[in-house]
Amino acid sequence: MLKRLQVILFALVIGIILFITREYWESWVVGGFSLFVSISAFFIAIVIFLENRNPSKTLTWLVVLGTLPVVGFFFYLLFGQNQRKSKSFKEKAIMDEQALYQIEGTKPVDESKLNEMGHHQRNLFKLAHKLANNPISFQTDTKVLTDGKETYAHIKQALKQAEDHIHMEYYIVRDDEIGREIKEILIEKAVNGVKVRFLYDAVGCWNLNKNYMKELNEAGVEAVPFSPVRFPVLTHKMNYRNHRKIIVVDTRYAFIGGLNIGDEYLGKNRYFGHWRDTHLLIKGEAIRSLQLIFLRDWYYATGKSVLKQHYLSPSHPARDLEGGVQMIASGPDTRWEILKKLFFAMITSAKKSIWIASPYFIPDEDILSALRIASLSGVDVRLLVPSRPDKRIVFYASRSYFPELLEAGMKIYEYNQGFMHSKVIIVDHEIASIGTANMDMRSFHLNFEANAFLYKTRSVESLVSDFIYDMEHSTIIRHELFQKRPLVQKVIESTSRLFSPLL
């Protein structure tokens, strides 16, 4: 009690001294801080200039630092640093490459199967294999899941059948009805001896009730945050997030796609209404590649290696199936911006059609030029986007790109049956990509993402059918009418676009 009183008295005395002398120290502190920030902003500008980044990114950062040095300084600390040069990510990249080469890199490519593919399909596969070192599988079955109800039904069924292990990796987890339902299944499985590992993004699950993961851990589930952020204002780690949504159950079932864990994905949010999303159920050989993505992330987050052989030996059909499946991971730990380069290759290789569904459409100059050129060349280019925003600055920045795309002949549809969250690209009705990556700069340059690439599989046909159905429940944007939108809206879009290299 005496010590506590002494501390209070000491703090009171210090407070009185600071109050009396405030006229002297306030100007010194404010002036010193302002000078420090200004000098720091100047040197940051030099660093950005010498890094030889994309010119639009460099210009954006220089404008922010020049016009708002104090805000720009802290904004750069949070979002601006080139984390691809980070020591921790470099180490992760090296370990990932070693693990991939050990497990997948030594496997020969089935040339006879490749010869059955078209020329541009072979080129895309070879590029994906060179960038990501993941093989294509012709012994994998996939099923497209078109909304939350269908996806969660399959996920819960697979989880309940688990006998050996469950590996889950998610960006967002909610402590709501579906979140608690999945939690109870995981707890039951862990209590019964199933090894359950749950990797969740620390920022994506920022608002998650702490008791949620505490209950999982107490039941024997290993629930671990990915890249935890203790002081968000003082660290750039907040900007590099794990956006992957992966489940592997006993190497018999796997899932990847756009749905996180939450009631809004079941259409229970009044604002969004029906949540239109796309997920993929996987059975067979390609599960090994998806398992490797999880195990490498797990090692990065925990320092524990669990590269056990039975985790990498999925059951798969005795005979080859129609088409190929390839799992690709991308992130700030990879040498190349893998998914962006593969999307670019898909667009430039198209002969007939390019159909894209993305809730967040903020292309960089490479993708934007590729889409314009494809459309001007007579390729049927279509874009499906939401008609209502969930992130307003991203929504308006997306719309700022519409005029030049519409002018090039591209068709843009706004989904009007709820919120469109699918992340799909379909080229020539033969090749498709489905997964966690949006058609935006954050997915290209900042986030840890994972996508499945499908080559002439039946699932591609399903994606085409779903896209046609979605277009029938959308409103096409007419160029001449879009040009007549209010001036205020144009200003908001243009202002939002200025920040697009930072989004």
Side-chain angles (χ1 to χ4, degrees):
M1 183 66 182
L2 181 61
K3 287 184 177 181
R4 186 178 298 176
L5 183 61
Q6 289 174 338
V7 170
I8 294 173
L9 289 173
F10 178 76
L12 184 61
V13 170
I14 294 296
I16 293 172
I17 293 173
L18 290 175
F19 178 78
I20 294 173
T21 61
R22 69 186 184 280
E23 293 183 359
Y24 298 96
W25 64 261
E26 275 183 356
S27 59
W28 182 85
V29 170
V30 172
F33 178 75
S34 179
L35 179 63
F36 167 77
V37 170
S38 297
I39 294 174
S40 299
F42 174 74
F43 282 107
I44 287 172
I46 294 176
V47 170
I48 292 172
F49 181 76
L50 294 177
E51 280 184 343
N52 290 324
R53 302 186 182 194
N54 181 289
S56 63
K57 285 187 177 180
T58 300
L59 183 60
T60 301
W61 277 116
L62 293 178
V63 168
V64 170
L65 288 169
T67 56
L68 301 168
V70 176
V71 175
F73 171 73
F74 286 105
F75 207 59
Y76 177 80
L77 292 180
L78 280 173
F79 304 114
Q81 300 179 65
N82 191 345
Q83 198 62 11
R84 288 181 183 275
K85 297 181 180 180
S86 161
K87 181 180 177 182
S88 63
F89 284 164
K90 281 185 177 179
E91 292 175 350
K92 184 178 187 301
I94 293 171
M95 291 185 293
D96 287 354
E97 286 184 10
Q98 291 173 345
L100 277 170
Y101 183 78
Q102 176 185 351
I103 305 300
E104 300 284 25
T106 57
K107 296 183 181 298
V109 176
D110 190 339
E111 294 291 343
S112 63
K113 279 293 181 183
L114 287 183
N115 291 333
E116 296 177 7
M117 301 165 63
H119 176 70
H120 62 298
Q121 295 165 347
R122 289 198 301 272
N123 287 344
L124 180 62
F125 157 69
K126 289 178 180 178
L127 175 63
H129 189 268
K130 184 175 183 63
L131 293 177
N133 207 26
N134 274 356
I136 187 170
S137 169
F138 296 97
Q139 296 184 336
T140 298
D141 190 20
T142 59
K143 176 181 173 60
V144 175
L145 309 173
T146 58
D147 60 20
K149 183 178 180 180
E150 185 179 17
T151 299
Y152 291 134
H154 280 83
I155 286 176
K156 289 187 290 185
Q157 182 180 17
L159 293 176
K160 290 176 181 178
Q161 294 179 17
E163 298 176 353
D164 182 75
H165 68 275
I166 296 172
H167 291 159
M168 299 180 65
E169 182 170 351
Y170 272 90
Y171 177 60
I172 293 174
V173 181
R174 307 281 192 210
D175 186 10
D176 52 22
E177 186 176 347
I178 187 62
R180 289 189 289 272
E181 195 173 345
I182 289 178
K183 180 183 70 174
E184 292 305 318
I185 296 174
L186 297 181
I187 289 175
E188 180 183 353
K189 286 298 172 180
V191 169
N192 290 328
V194 175
K195 189 63 179 178
V196 183
R197 298 182 176 93
F198 197 150
L199 190 60
Y200 61 96
D201 186 79
V203 173
C205 295
W206 194 277
N207 294 322
L208 182 65
N209 190 323
K210 292 182 179 180
N211 289 329
Y212 187 97
M213 291 302 172
K214 181 180 179 182
E215 290 178 26
L216 285 173
N217 282 311
E218 288 177 349
V221 175
E222 290 187 67
V224 177
F226 183 92
S227 195
V229 179
R230 293 180 176 83
F231 302 101
V233 178
L234 302 176
T235 179
H236 53 261
K237 289 173 64 178
M238 185 174 177
N239 202 33
Y240 297 87
R241 306 318 315 165
N242 191 331
H243 196 239
R244 294 167 182 164
K245 297 99 177 169
I246 295 172
I247 297 178
V248 179
V249 180
D250 290 349
T251 65
R252 288 188 298 163
Y253 308 101
F255 298 86
I256 188 172
L259 287 110
N260 289 289
I261 298 175
D263 283 349
E264 69 262 42
Y265 303 98
L266 284 165
K268 295 183 179 181
N269 184 290
R270 290 184 178 180
Y271 171 76
F272 293 118
H274 173 66
W275 189 280
R276 172 67 182 92
D277 218 325
T278 306
H279 227 71
L280 195 68
L281 167 62
I282 305 150
K283 300 177 185 178
E285 189 178 37
I287 290 179
R288 177 171 53 238
S289 297
L290 206 57
Q291 183 85 285
L292 267 172
I293 295 170
F294 173 85
L295 294 176
R296 285 147 47 198
D297 287 348
W298 184 261
Y299 181 73
Y300 175 74
T302 66
K304 300 177 183 178
S305 176
V306 286
L307 274 173
K308 298 180 181 179
Q309 187 57 44
H310 76 280
Y311 289 158
L312 304 171
S313 302
S315 58
H316 51 85
R319 59 181 179 82
D320 290 345
L321 297 171
E322 182 181 351
V325 180
Q326 192 175 24
M327 299 295 165
I328 302 294
S330 182
D333 59 332
T334 56
R335 185 179 304 173
W336 306 102
E337 294 158 340
I338 295 175
L339 287 175
K340 181 228 168 161
K341 286 177 168 54
L342 292 179
F343 290 170
F344 180 84
M346 290 177 74
I347 293 167
T348 55
S349 70
K351 305 299 181 185
K352 299 177 182 178
S353 63
I354 304 165
W355 291 2
I356 300 170
S358 179
Y360 315 119
F361 180 78
I362 302 182
D364 63 8
E365 194 59 38
D366 294 336
I367 298 293
L368 188 63
S369 295
L371 289 172
R372 286 201 307 255
I373 292 171
S375 187
L376 288 168
S377 300
V379 176
D380 176 21
V381 185
R382 305 186 184 195
L383 173 65
L384 181 64
V385 295
S387 61
R388 63 185 67 177
D390 69 329
K391 300 175 182 177
R392 292 190 178 276
I393 189 170
V394 179
F395 177 80
Y396 288 114
S398 296
R399 295 173 72 86
S400 72
Y401 294 92
F402 291 179
E404 55 197 299
L405 293 172
L406 291 168
E407 187 177 5
M410 186 167 168
K411 297 176 182 177
I412 302 177
Y413 297 82
E414 288 187 319
Y415 185 73
N416 54 30
Q417 295 294 303
F419 187 72
M420 204 292 302
H421 195 252
S422 294
K423 309 162 196 302
V424 174
I425 305 176
I426 310 167
V427 170
D428 294 342
H429 294 192
E430 294 181 341
I431 305 174
S433 173
I434 170 178
T436 69
N438 297 296
M439 187 65 72
D440 68 358
M441 297 190 193
R442 174 162 291 278
S443 288
F444 292 160
H445 307 295
L446 301 176
N447 285 344
F448 293 85
E449 307 280 5
N451 274 42
F453 285 77
L454 311 176
Y455 304 82
K456 287 187 173 181
T457 66
R458 292 182 180 177
S459 288
V460 176
E461 298 174 7
S462 297
L463 291 172
V464 170
S465 297
D466 288 345
F467 200 102
I468 292 173
Y469 182 84
D470 290 337
M471 285 190 295
E472 292 172 350
H473 293 80
S474 302
T475 301
I476 190 168
I477 296 178
R478 303 293 180 185
H479 186 211
E480 60 277 7
L481 292 178
F482 192 75
Q483 290 291 80
K484 296 178 181 178
R485 67 199 186 282
L487 178 61
V488 173
Q489 186 173 329
K490 292 180 181 179
V491 171
I492 294 173
E493 292 169 2
S494 298
T495 304
S496 299
R497 180 165 175 164
L498 284 176
F499 292 94
S500 61
L502 314 181
L503 297 175

